[in-house]
Amino acid sequence: MSGYGEIREGVRALCAQFPDDYFRDIDAERGYPEAFVDALIGAGWLSAMIPEEYGGTGLGLGAASVIMEEINHCGGNAGAVHGQMYNMGTLLRHGSDAQKRKYLPPIAEGKLRIQSMAVTEPTAGTDTTRIKTTAVRRDDRYVVNGQKVWISRVQHSDLMILLARTTSLAEVRKRSEGMSIFIVDLRDAIGHGLTLQPIRNLVNHETNELFFDNLEIPAENLIGEEGRGFRYILDGLNAERTLIAAECIGDGYWFVDRAVKYANARVVFDRPIGMNQGVQFPIADAYIEIEAANLMRFRACDLFDAGKPCGAEANMAKYLAAKASWEAANVCLQTHGGFGFATEYDVERKFRETRLYQVAPVSTNMIFAYVAEHVLGLPRSF
Ligand SMILES: Cc1cc2nc3c(=O)[nH]c(=O)nc-3n(C[C@H](O)[C@H](O)[C@H](O)COP(=O)(O)OP(=O)(O)OC[C@H]3O[C@@H](n4cnc5c(N)ncnc54)[C@H](O)[C@@H]3O)c2cc1C
């Protein structure tokens, strides 16, 4: 858990250049934190997990998670950038040498962004094996047709990883087979077979519906073997879940910091409101929950970085952290009374932002299902 002091200081110093009103104004405009993201990329923080041979810093998941945590702890929202931290892992683990040489160095240099991954579809929902988007091989290309929903950061990315069916559900032995993943170069695709429809949502988070109408992708953009795409996506989930857990922990600390500050400063009935146990105990409770989630997050990181299985720990860390950050959000808002609702305190913005993580990228019930089945040996429920 210790040993990340320099990373924390470095990210904090960068974030200090982007104070609360920067994120508040972007939230009000429903904009994208372009200057912040440029600074993060320029300083190399988003290349943390790219190996040195491809121009990155070759750090582990623990270090990467600390970067994400600090962004959120400083009042920002790593949701604008976290895709790159785990999407590049899919390329690294399953891409060919040629793909890795082509894409990873410019990603590490900050010339190319791989912020998007398109899995979810409107009719399939959580049941990913029912996706209907197809990619059909024609000579040296694949032709893609279908629809995706909730696909984030597409307007601020150059590359997207796409999951599509290359063999129909009726023709496969197991429903998890017959899906493949591709690199889509969004600069070529948008307007040439791919159209976007932004989804306005609770958070200022750029996310979209995607429509594929005979989008052509070069066959060389297939990642790994045809038909094994679902397995490749699953391989990336532990890193994704652990990174999101770290963001929730960053949020949790932010809420506790702000609640403590306000509870010490606000005087009602001639004393700081924090002197009342009814105010201080919920803050202490929230802090304890965050600390506990943090232990599970570092357990997942340590296992991942040692190359050991960490599915249970990554899922449990994500669950505990998302729950703890949401509880801390509630406590922080309550501590601020009416002022919690005022945008200038930033509590309502962070409150909305942290709520997402009990739904996406994996909903709480799916984590329960994972633990019930894979850890406890209960029957598969769906
Ligand atoms: C802001 C945002 C950004 C997103 N970004 C991306 C992205 O970049 N790429 C991407 O591919 N997807 C993205 N998603 C999609 C996200 O991963 C899904 O919303 C999520 O996986 C849930 O799928 P769903 O919305 O279709 O819910 P559904 O599958 O319709 O489920 C609805 C509810 O029912 C519950 N449920 C369903 N089946 C069961 C069951 N068998 N047992 C118990 N409970 C069940 C679920 O847990 C959930 O709470 C994003 C979503 C949001 C909101």
Side-chain angles (χ1 to χ4, degrees), residues 117 119-120 125-126 150-152 205 356 359-361 363 365-366 382:
M117 177 167 69
V119 173
T120 308
T126 311
W150 299 116
I151 309 309
S152 302
H205 180 87
L356 174 64
V359 171
S363 65
N365 277 358
M366 292 303 114
F382 54 85

Side-chain angles (χ1 to χ4, degrees), residues 1-13:
M1 196 183 301
S2 55
Y4 297 116
E6 268 182 46
I7 294 176
R8 289 191 191 280
E9 277 169 33
V11 179
R12 274 180 208 166

Side-chain angles (χ1 to χ4, degrees), residues 86 115-122 124-127 148-153 201 203 205-207 356 358-366 369 381-382:
Y86 43 80
Q115 289 285 4
S116 297
M117 177 167 69
V119 173
T120 308
E121 296 194 3
T126 311
D127 191 359
K148 297 276 173 187
V149 70
W150 299 116
I151 309 309
S152 302
R153 298 168 296 272
N201 59 87
V203 197
H205 180 87
E206 189 241 288
T207 188
L356 174 64
Q358 289 182 65
V359 171
V362 60
S363 65
T364 302
N365 277 358
M366 292 303 114
S381 62
F382 54 85

Side-chain angles (χ1 to χ4, degrees), residues 66-78:
V66 165
I67 297 168
M68 300 287 101
E69 176 195 334
E70 287 298 333
I71 293 172
N72 282 36
H73 192 167
C74 292
N77 180 5

Side-chain angles (χ1 to χ4, degrees), residues 87-125:
N87 291 335
M88 74 87 210
T90 305
L91 198 54
L92 182 68
R93 276 187 303 276
H94 305 292
S96 65
D97 278 349
Q99 287 169 337
K100 286 190 255 191
R101 278 198 308 272
K102 179 173 175 186
Y103 295 113
L104 291 176
I107 293 170
E109 271 183 82
K111 291 186 179 150
L112 212 54
R113 293 184 188 180
I114 184 162
Q115 289 285 4
S116 297
M117 177 167 69
V119 173
T120 308
E121 296 194 3
T123 55

Side-chain angles (χ1 to χ4, degrees), residues 120-266:
T120 308
E121 296 194 3
T123 55
T126 311
D127 191 359
T128 307
T129 60
R130 306 261 179 157
I131 60 167
K132 291 181 183 153
T133 297
T134 55
V136 177
R137 178 87 190 237
R138 268 195 218 131
D139 304 321
D140 61 347
R141 341 221 92 214
Y142 281 89
V143 180
V144 180
N145 281 287
Q147 193 182 338
K148 297 276 173 187
V149 70
W150 299 116
I151 309 309
S152 302
R153 298 168 296 272
V154 180
Q155 297 165 50
H156 296 92
S157 189
D158 303 299
L159 306 175
M160 175 178 82
I161 293 174
L162 168 71
L163 181 75
R165 271 224 166 265
T166 38
T167 308
S168 74
L169 197 53
E171 290 172 277
V172 289
R173 229 173 3 103
K174 278 171 69 184
R175 58 190 176 158
S176 56
E177 291 172 355
M179 287 172 275
S180 304
I181 54 171
F182 301 88
I183 301 167
V184 176
D185 192 323
L186 292 162
R187 297 163 301 180
D188 299 336
I190 295 175
H192 301 97
L194 171 60
T195 47
L196 315 181
Q197 183 65 49
I199 306 173
R200 209 178 155 93
N201 59 87
L202 178 74
V203 197
N204 174 35
H205 180 87
E206 189 241 288
T207 188
N208 310 272
E209 271 184 286
L210 306 187
F211 302 91
F212 300 90
D213 182 11
N214 290 319
L215 171 73
E216 296 194 358
I217 309 177
E220 68 203 32
N221 285 20
L222 172 74
I223 300 177
E225 271 178 58
E226 195 181 284
R228 294 185 50 80
F230 187 64
R231 166 58 39 203
Y232 299 156
I233 294 284
L234 290 185
D235 285 348
L237 293 183
N238 292 338
E240 184 189 75
R241 285 172 193 178
T242 309
L243 289 167
I244 303 274
E247 290 170 39
C248 291
I249 285 160
D251 279 343
Y253 287 133
W254 185 93
F255 288 119
V256 168
D257 290 350
R258 294 297 168 111
V260 167
K261 191 169 158 214
Y262 193 81
N264 277 320
R266 173 75 169 163

